[in-house]
Amino acid sequence: MNRNDSELMLGLLAREGFRQAANPREADLVVLNSCQIRAQAEDKAYSYLGHWNTLKKHRPDLKIALTGCVAQQTGENAFSRSPGVDIVVGTQNLHDLPALVRRAFAGEERVMAVDRQKSRSSYDMMEDVAPVRQSAVSAWVTIIEGCDYFCTYCVVPYTRGRQISRPRESILAEARDLAALGYREITLLGQTVDSYGRDRPQEAYYLAHLLHDLHAIEGLARIRFMTSHPLDLDDALIAAVADLPRVMAYFHLPMQSGDDDVLARMKRGYTAAQYFERLDAIRARLPHAAISGDFIVGFPGETEAQFERTIEAVTRARFDGANTAAYSPRAQTPAGIWESRGEGVISDAVKQDRLQRLNTVITAQSLANNQQFEGQQVEVLVEGPSKRNAQRWTGRTEGNKVVNFDPPQPLGALSPGQLVNVFIEKAFPFSLMGYCVTPPPAPSASPEIFTENTQRTAALADAVR
Ligand code: SAH
Ligand code: SF4
């Protein structure tokens, strides 16, 4: 979601006449779009600001903007905490970025906009801004912002605000534009993407309805969505995924813990059994669906026995992958307050030990899942030449697995955005390897569009480097 916001900010600034610099040393303005989900992300933001403060000593004209969740939470304290910062833009004020930048360049000091809660989705307010996208093939499309769940460990509702669904017309218009530009895949984004529409019950238009409407758009080969919340993943959504062939059977469905007591203290709203009821419902309709999750270890008070229930749950779920994290206390959140009072604190050593044990089980499991593809053909959406080996190509399967593959022999022309069949020779825990067996069909978009998008992506990749 932050990447998608960065793409939007690049679009906003491009309209102001900014171009991307090759690196911060050549820039007039640097923008740090920050994340605050764990202490590590926040520390990283301040470490970048530290580097840029040093740079500013040699280049006093350089302007530094802090955006994203750290900006939202820190507000004007960001100016004293990191003295080089000129502009602070909260998550609710993305649309104000151009005006704030103009004021800073006009000489105003300490320019800031950090509202508590916007009333309209950013992506709806800035419909006329073309995001500068990182990929020429796949595009992020934010459909719902914020979160109303208030899990006790999580800072998102405080930093991203209340849940706001973007109007369907705005989403469908963006998706049509993307298809016309030659994009082949869209991923619908939201902290709880399957809550889409629940803040506007009078419309009775939810994610399943949106998927049906998006599926009717010609040119889009693949539609994905993430992240799903187990309480919102209803049968209508599963049925939509099953009925619509271009909606990919891939669910990112965080569980967080396998223990009911921990889940209750996290305020997740479900038990392990209820989570599995949803998982089983997916597998009953879509036996081939890929499913991944998120887990936190070392939540305050988590006992060894409770952690072992997470291991048991992971083993039973047969996940295709999972993001795992050691619990990181966040000020403001209920669990952060327990931790600050010393209640149930788990030592870093225990957290790291549990994290490593959990990761070992998940890695073994995703390897076992991937090995089922050995000797089979899978359909792959081609992304481009592999970064590690220019002779190889890379793409993804329906289940979002990365596939590195040799191009067709004799060497056929492959282009990003094509769907090809790949014979899988070898599986690894986080990728598959094979060779292309079908000559790729003609791309649906005009080659000029691909070239233009590919050039833009290459320029962006250089800028990021
Ligand atoms: N909305 C999604 C998750 C969004 S946050 C959901 O409901 O699951 C992404 C992930 O970051 C979470 O799934 C969680 O595993 C992790 N996370 C959030 N807060 C955390 C914290 N304080 N410490 C460690 N991990 C955290
Ligand atoms: Fe955070 Fe997700 Fe819980 Fe919302 S549902 S509070 S984003 S973990």
Side-chain angles (χ1 to χ4, degrees), residues 4-42:
N4 193 203
D5 286 348
S6 297
E7 293 177 340
L8 186 62
M9 285 189 235
L10 287 168
L12 283 166
L13 292 171
R15 229 170 42 166
E16 294 289 299
F18 282 91
R19 286 186 293 112
Q20 281 171 65
N23 63 62
R25 285 188 302 281
E26 293 168 21
D28 300 310
L29 165 71
V30 283
V31 182
L32 183 82
N33 189 17
S34 58
C35 171
Q36 217 189 15
I37 196 82
R38 292 189 283 270
Q40 205 184 18
E42 191 173 353

Side-chain angles (χ1 to χ4, degrees), residues 86-128:
D86 301 285
I87 307 165
V88 173
V89 191
T91 54
Q92 310 299 307
N93 297 80
L94 216 59
H95 52 285
D96 294 322
L97 178 68
L100 298 167
V101 166
R102 260 181 257 138
R103 278 164 51 192
F105 276 95
E108 196 177 322
E109 289 181 1
R110 298 189 163 197
V111 184
M112 183 175 94
V114 180
D115 289 349
R116 276 182 70 83
Q117 177 67 49
K118 66 189 162 204
S119 54
R120 252 176 92 188
S121 136
S122 298
Y123 282 76
D124 180 31
M125 273 189 265
M126 290 174 273
E127 222 176 33
D128 53 332

Side-chain angles (χ1 to χ4, degrees), residues 68-187:
C69 291
V70 175
Q72 181 70 30
Q73 280 290 72
T74 319
E76 63 185 344
N77 292 334
F79 295 119
S80 42
R81 185 148 177 204
S82 192
V85 171
D86 301 285
I87 307 165
V88 173
V89 191
T91 54
Q92 310 299 307
N93 297 80
L94 216 59
H95 52 285
D96 294 322
L97 178 68
L100 298 167
V101 166
R102 260 181 257 138
R103 278 164 51 192
F105 276 95
E108 196 177 322
E109 289 181 1
R110 298 189 163 197
V111 184
M112 183 175 94
V114 180
D115 289 349
R116 276 182 70 83
Q117 177 67 49
K118 66 189 162 204
S119 54
R120 252 176 92 188
S121 136
S122 298
Y123 282 76
D124 180 31
M125 273 189 265
M126 290 174 273
E127 222 176 33
D128 53 332
V129 180
V132 177
R133 299 187 187 271
Q134 294 174 19
S135 160
V137 175
S138 304
W140 311 112
V141 177
T142 296
I143 66 164
I144 176 168
E145 294 171 69
C147 179
D148 286 352
Y149 272 109
F150 287 91
C151 301
T152 53
Y153 52 82
C154 183
V155 81
V156 168
Y158 307 92
T159 58
R160 287 276 182 180
R162 294 292 76 69
Q163 182 177 304
I164 305 180
S165 294
R166 181 176 168 188
R168 73 178 95 162
E169 301 77 25
S170 169
I171 300 167
L172 293 170
E174 182 174 0
R176 277 189 218 104
D177 286 350
L178 288 166
L181 276 170
Y183 284 89
R184 303 285 283 146
E185 178 178 73
I186 59 170
T187 301

